[in-house]
């Protein structure tokens, strides 16, 4: 019998956090092996288990998977969170790429120089409220369903909730002009597996603090 998936990454969110979210939402228990210092990353590289010398890396189903998008789409397909046909999958992909763009901006904010942070935070809020969230609000309004695609929970919904919560850390009332997204947030947050992941003590990681940022800079030479 295959064991639990094993996630190799730092102790923070980064690119692994969406993978943690998706596994948790699917009700899959997973283990984590943390990269605490540069030598841990070098060992993985020297052992030849990182296809492109990069993490995240997930050991699952006899594979050592790298590349965040590849890992996420595999998990989504395996646990029936990737639509019922090619068209639904295409919509899920489009929605996920949008939230990935927004989350990428938020993810890199703590690593930016202090003199540009304020400007970039303003840009994140502007993009979230004029480019990204209106798309999801309209999607929910147009089809009148509880979920973004096919009236069934999918990877797109899980990713959007993650993005909403990250955006609210930047500006707590960022959803004030989006009533359907506010309702969506409440619904998806109450799905039992997701509700469990949102509780204190879960494997969800906190926002990056100064200590974590310093550790990441050392490990990855940035």
């Amino acid at each position: 019998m295959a064991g639990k998936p094993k996630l190799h990454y730092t102790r923070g969110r980064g690119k692994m956090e969406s993978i943690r979210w998706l596994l948790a939402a699917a009700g899959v228990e997973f283990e984590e092996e943390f990269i605490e210092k540069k030598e841990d990353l070098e060992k993985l590289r020297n052992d030849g288990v990182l296809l492109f010398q990069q993490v995240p890396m997930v050991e699952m189903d006899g594979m050592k998977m790298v590349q965040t998008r590849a890992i996420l789409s595999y998990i989504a397909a395996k646990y029936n969170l990737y639509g019922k046909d090619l068209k639904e999958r295409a919509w899920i992909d489009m929605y996920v790429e949008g939230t990935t763009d927004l989350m990428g901006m938020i993810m890199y904010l703590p690593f930016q120089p202090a003199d540009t942070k304020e400007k970039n935070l303003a840009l994140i809020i502007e993009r979230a409220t004029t480019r990204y969230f209106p798309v999801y609000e309209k999607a929910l309004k147009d089809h009148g369903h509880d979920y973004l695609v096919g009236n069934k929970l999918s990877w797109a919904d899980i990713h959007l909730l993650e993005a909403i919560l990250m955006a609210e850390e930047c500006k707590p009332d960022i959803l004030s002009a989006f009533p359907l997204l506010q309702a969506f947030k409440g619904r998806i947050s109450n799905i039992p597996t997701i509700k469990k992941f949102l509780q204190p003590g879960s494997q969800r990681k906190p926002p990056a603090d100064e200590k974590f940022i310093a550790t990441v800079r050392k490990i990855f030479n940035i």
Side-chain angles (χ1 to χ4, degrees):
M1 185 183 122
K4 295 176 186 173
K6 185 185 279 189
L7 282 49
H8 296 263
Y9 202 64
T10 62
R11 283 188 183 272
R13 289 182 182 175
K15 292 191 171 185
M16 187 65 92
E17 191 70 355
S18 292
I19 296 166
R20 296 183 186 111
W21 265 87
L22 198 54
L23 285 168
V28 179
E29 290 185 6
F30 56 88
E31 298 171 348
E32 300 192 76
E33 194 158 302
F34 294 114
I35 296 167
E36 311 266 20
K37 52 192 187 295
K38 202 170 174 177
E39 290 74 17
D40 298 337
L41 180 60
E42 287 306 317
K43 185 178 186 311
L44 286 173
R45 286 173 172 162
N46 293 334
D47 288 349
V49 296
L50 302 179
L51 198 61
F52 300 109
Q53 310 295 310
Q54 293 169 302
V55 288
M57 190 268 278
V58 174
E59 295 185 67
M60 186 175 180
D61 297 342
M63 295 185 287
K64 290 180 168 67
M65 290 192 283
V66 297
Q67 297 293 10
T68 312
R69 171 80 207 198
I71 296 165
L72 285 165
S73 56
Y74 179 86
I75 294 165
K78 180 176 169 104
Y79 294 104
N80 201 22
L81 294 164
Y82 211 177
K84 70 176 188 301
D85 55 31
L86 273 175
K87 280 191 177 175
E88 284 195 358
R89 188 168 287 202
W91 277 106
I92 290 167
D93 283 340
M94 285 191 277
Y95 289 143
V96 163
E97 290 298 329
T99 38
T100 299
D101 290 347
L102 177 59
M103 287 195 285
M105 293 173 73
I106 299 170
M107 192 190 306
Y108 292 117
L109 187 67
F111 294 89
Q112 290 166 357
D115 58 344
T116 62
K117 263 189 198 168
E118 203 170 311
K119 189 178 111 189
N120 287 319
L121 176 60
L123 180 63
I124 287 165
I125 292 163
E126 189 262 328
R127 288 273 170 86
T129 53
T130 64
R131 179 180 292 189
Y132 295 109
F133 289 162
V135 169
Y136 304 105
E137 183 82 2
K138 185 176 186 299
L140 292 166
K141 182 172 184 244
D142 287 352
H143 63 49
H145 292 156
D146 286 349
Y147 305 104
L148 286 171
V149 180
N151 202 24
K152 180 178 181 292
L153 181 70
S154 76
W155 174 20
D157 301 303
I158 298 156
H159 218 242
L160 176 55
L161 178 61
E162 184 188 358
I164 286 170
L165 296 180
M166 285 176 76
E168 286 184 333
E169 288 169 354
C170 295
K171 187 175 189 285
D173 66 345
I174 200 161
L175 287 187
S176 58
F178 304 101
L180 296 179
L181 282 180
Q182 291 173 40
F184 171 89
K185 176 192 159 189
R187 276 196 308 276
I188 306 301
S189 295
N190 275 302
I191 291 168
T193 51
I194 294 174
K195 190 172 184 178
K196 184 180 173 189
F197 187 62
L198 291 172
Q199 299 304 309
S202 80
Q203 287 165 295
R204 186 181 178 217
K205 302 297 180 271
D209 60 16
E210 290 303 321
K211 186 182 171 191
F212 173 69
I213 291 162
T215 302
V216 168
R217 288 191 190 281
K218 274 187 201 160
I219 293 170
F220 297 104
N221 282 338
I222 54 175

